[in-house]
Amino acid sequence: MVDLHSQYEHIKQDIDAAIREVIESTAFVKGPKVTEFQQQLEQYTGAKHVIPVGNGTDALQIALMALGLQKGDEVITPTFTFIATAEVVALLGLTPVVVDVDWETMNLDIESVRRAITPRTKAIVPVHLFGQCANMEALMALAKEHHLFVVEDACQAIGAKYTFANGETKQAGTMGDIGCTSFFPSKNLGCYGDGGAIFTDNDDLADRMRAIANHGMVVRYHHDMIGVNSRLDSLQAAILNAKLPHLDEYIKARQQAADFYDKAFAHCDVLLVPGHQKCSTHVYHQYTLRVIGTDRDTLRENLAERGIPAMIYYPVPLHQQKAYRDPRYKDGDFPVAERLAACVLSLPMHTELDEEQLNYITSNVLELCKK
Ligand SMILES: *Cc1c(COP(=O)(O)O)cnc(C)c1O
């Protein structure tokens, strides 16, 4: 699915030197590499504040902790996503309210969000799933109308760009009040362990989140709020410093692979290629097909036999997960998400796919779909 080793081989010298430098300096925590990365990423994303943290899940949790929400306050999130999005809502004693998604973009459906808003709703967490932004124009307008916070889960979409009707272009994670991303190794900007970051333009929220990520501490050993311990370590920051200058070429490589897949599958009536969100670029964290005319699981098994990995992101929507079962929801309530869970199939997607591999993958997929 991913080829992190070949990617490393291309930048080995820079990475090895960066790692060695951190070890020699012994500034393992909160070292200058972390500040350097924070500044580099502020420059890249255009966010006023970047707050490096331990991972993407922590980023989401810290973001929600900073909003001053009360137990039972409702947070709207799509039911078709990775579990972390709702997990942090539940952990904080807030109430996750799930909504359905759009069949084409697989991102949250604005009308479903509108219907889910109640007097207890305080925030919306859109997920820029698989690497393209949700419909942020409509979502931000809706949030403004109802005075709701927007916390973007941009863990899969770093570098994706969204253009608003007024012509302004912003990056994933920098449109809402707060944005969150992850540097998990397989993410588009991956480190060699765990890492994450929070983006905001709001000075007060930035101060609060910096403090929360550091045990709620503003002045040393004085704790103004309950916090957590969540840090990006210097080794990971050094690796990310070496990789960030390559992010745009990595995105391009993913887009070229996606383009190849799109063209190959354009006339296959058994498969639907990913639909595009108007106004957003797609950075293809995943290339996710919808298998509509043949059995998805059989196709996946047959591909595996030919040495082609394919993954199901995600097989069970939130409202059908055992831990998140809620009497308010029953099977069938979110028909698009349920249908997607039953038919999505993600193909290998990374920066090192060459034409030979792409040909092998697409010709086998097409052959198996004909049977
Ligand atoms: C990866 C991911 C996360 C969590 O990031 P971690 O760094 O693994 O904690 C959250 N949300 C989405 C949509 C993700 O893809």
Side-chain angles (χ1 to χ4, degrees):
M1 288 299 286
V2 294
D3 182 359
L4 297 175
H5 196 268
S6 306
Q7 193 192 57
Y8 165 65
E9 287 297 333
H10 288 130
I11 51 171
K12 185 173 165 35
Q13 275 188 338
D14 291 349
I15 297 275
D16 291 359
I19 290 175
R20 210 172 316 113
E21 202 185 319
V22 174
I23 295 174
E24 296 284 348
S25 79
T26 70
F28 296 118
V29 169
K30 292 192 193 287
K33 289 287 172 193
V34 182
T35 314
E36 192 187 315
F37 175 61
Q38 171 214 316
Q39 288 163 351
Q40 269 208 52
L41 195 57
E42 281 167 356
Q43 201 157 38
Y44 180 85
T45 58
K48 186 167 177 198
H49 304 279
V50 166
I51 302 158
V53 293
N55 57 67
T57 309
D58 280 1
L60 288 162
Q61 178 174 336
I62 293 162
L64 289 174
M65 286 172 80
L67 299 179
L69 307 185
Q70 308 293 317
K71 250 191 174 39
D73 282 349
E74 293 175 359
V75 177
I76 295 176
T77 184
T79 188
F80 189 64
T81 178
F82 178 58
I83 199 70
T85 321
E87 184 177 66
V88 295
V89 177
L91 272 175
L92 294 173
L94 307 168
T95 303
V97 169
V98 298
V99 297
D100 211 348
V101 293
D102 178 75
W103 170 248
E104 284 299 325
T105 65
M106 306 183 233
N107 274 323
L108 93 183
D109 173 64
I110 300 298
E111 284 317 304
S112 304
V113 176
R114 190 188 301 278
R115 283 195 299 273
I117 294 172
T118 76
R120 300 220 64 171
T121 308
K122 292 288 152 53
I124 307 171
V125 184
V127 182
H128 304 313
L129 199 70
F130 303 146
Q132 71 179 338
C133 298
N135 180 352
M136 292 304 283
E137 182 93 41
L139 190 77
M140 292 309 293
L142 190 61
K144 197 169 168 199
E145 185 187 331
H146 293 271
H147 308 287
L148 306 175
F149 291 111
V150 173
V151 176
E152 300 171 67
D153 181 342
C155 288
Q156 302 187 355
I158 193 163
K161 295 192 183 85
Y162 187 92
T163 304
F164 288 86
N166 65 6
E168 200 180 1
T169 295
K170 288 191 174 185
Q171 278 199 27
T174 68
M175 296 175 271
D177 299 282
I178 304 174
C180 300
T181 203
S182 163
F183 308 120
F184 185 80
S186 63
K187 297 281 157 84
N188 287 23
L189 179 62
C191 59
Y192 293 178
D194 276 308
I198 308 173
F199 310 135
T200 188
D201 286 348
N202 181 310
D203 298 341
D204 293 336
L205 284 174
D207 286 343
R208 281 183 70 80
M209 292 191 290
R210 265 186 221 108
I212 290 169
N214 186 27
H215 300 293
M217 188 158 77
V218 180
V219 177
R220 198 157 213 189
Y221 305 127
H222 294 256
H223 304 274
D224 297 356
M225 54 200 111
I226 295 175
V228 295
N229 170 24
S230 187
R231 305 185 274 241
L232 181 72
D233 71 66
S234 302
L235 280 169
Q236 301 307 336
I239 290 161
L240 289 164
N241 275 329
K243 287 186 76 176
L244 182 57
H246 299 280
L247 180 55
D248 285 340
E249 60 191 81
Y250 289 163
I251 289 172
K252 208 176 212 169
R254 287 171 179 274
Q255 288 169 337
Q256 279 166 355
D259 214 42
F260 192 102
Y261 282 145
D262 273 352
K263 289 199 174 95
F265 303 136
H267 303 293
C268 176
D269 50 14
V270 169
L271 304 170
L272 291 175
V273 300
H276 287 274
Q277 171 61 48
K278 220 173 77 197
C279 307
S280 177
T281 63
H282 201 323
V283 296
Y284 293 101
H285 174 57
Q286 298 297 343
Y287 184 88
T288 304
L289 292 165
R290 289 157 291 168
V291 183
I292 52 164
T294 186
D295 186 67
R296 186 257 322 257
D297 297 329
T298 310
L299 174 60
R300 183 177 180 224
E301 280 160 28
N302 291 338
L303 284 169
E305 273 168 24
R306 297 178 183 201
I308 300 168
M311 295 289 284
I312 298 164
Y313 305 119
Y314 295 93
V316 184
L318 289 179
H319 68 283
Q320 294 180 318
Q321 295 283 359
K322 204 164 155 190
Y324 292 82
R325 279 283 184 185
D326 182 317
R328 286 173 305 166
Y329 306 127
K330 56 183 190 310
D331 294 349
D333 279 356
F334 305 97
V336 179
E338 289 171 32
R339 194 170 162 214
L340 285 171
C343 79
V344 285
L345 192 65
S346 297
L347 294 181
M349 174 49 77
H350 53 83
T351 58
E352 314 300 316
L353 282 165
D354 60 30
E355 203 158 308
E356 192 187 329
Q357 291 169 314
L358 289 165
N359 265 320
Y360 182 74
I361 296 166
T362 52
S363 58
N364 276 287
V365 169
L366 288 169
E367 194 191 315
L368 289 166
C369 282
K370 255 188 228 140
K371 285 189 181 163

